[in-house]
Amino acid sequence: MTMIRRLACQVGVATLALSILGCAENDAEDMEPRTIVVDIRNAKDLTQTLGTVTLMEDVPMGLVAVFDIDSNDVIPPGPRAIHIHENPSCAIAPTQEGGDPVPAGAAGGHFNPLHVGHGEDDGPHVGDSDAYNYEFDSDGSFSGTVRFSQASFSGETSVFQGGGTSIVIHSGTDDMRSNPAGDAGPRAACGVISAEEQQD
């Protein structure tokens, strides 16, 4: 076999190997959820759906959450705090700080896999949204985009850790300082983030 033919053969084998590797990597990527639709429910009555949030991964800029909350009498108008919390449950239960059961208490505290403080000085938590507070209309509705810059669908900051997390809309505003949760008030609405909700 001539040198040229031998070299061509080696290049052909290398190209085939890279093609197979590329396919394997693509298959692995295809298995990762890229769009998740979360039902947002009244934290006091989980049978009442208030709207949806569509979560999309925007590598390397975290997760983008597109909110479509209908008119309701649950979420007060004005600026409201929005966070990702650590547990995949919106049930009435004590919060991580303890005390009496409260609506969406089972969601636990803020999603904080990096173990930092809350707010602008010591944080933010992975579950802190970029602007912390968002303006809800006079009828309780909200259509807008919320970014969670540190959150992801995989790795150390994956929202699917431990079976999932949850999105919580509070009745108050986040002061962006107080630990552990910004003194954001009661949990008005909640939705579970789960890989089972993956969309094609």
Side-chain angles (χ1 to χ4, degrees), residues 26-173:
N26 287 338
D27 287 345
E29 286 179 2
D30 290 343
M31 291 174 63
E32 293 181 80
R34 292 297 175 198
T35 303
I36 298 292
V37 177
V38 176
D39 287 332
I40 300 297
R41 302 178 187 275
N42 180 350
K44 292 181 179 178
D45 177 6
L46 295 176
T47 65
Q48 181 186 2
T49 301
L50 306 180
T52 61
V53 175
T54 302
L55 280 170
M56 295 169 284
E57 194 166 39
D58 183 20
V59 179
M61 300 299 292
L63 297 183
V64 173
V66 180
F67 279 71
D68 185 12
I69 305 298
D70 300 325
S71 174
N72 65 83
D73 58 1
V74 174
I75 304 170
R80 300 293 158 232
I82 296 176
H83 305 117
I84 296 175
H85 284 241
E86 63 186 341
N87 300 323
S89 176
C90 293
I92 295 174
T95 64
Q96 70 172 15
E97 290 82 32
D100 295 329
V102 296
H110 287 189
F111 181 47
N112 186 24
L114 302 181
H115 308 291
V116 298
H118 168 71
E120 296 181 322
D121 295 334
D122 302 315
H125 294 149
V126 171
D128 288 338
S129 48
D130 283 9
Y132 290 88
N133 301 300
Y134 301 83
E135 191 74 23
F136 281 72
D137 291 336
S138 59
D139 62 357
S141 64
F142 173 60
S143 295
T145 299
V146 174
R147 185 179 291 274
F148 298 91
S149 292
Q150 297 187 81
S152 64
F153 282 163
S154 60
E156 186 180 15
T157 61
S158 170
V159 293
F160 302 125
Q161 287 189 34
T165 50
S166 57
I167 293 179
V168 173
I169 302 170
H170 292 264
S171 295
T173 56

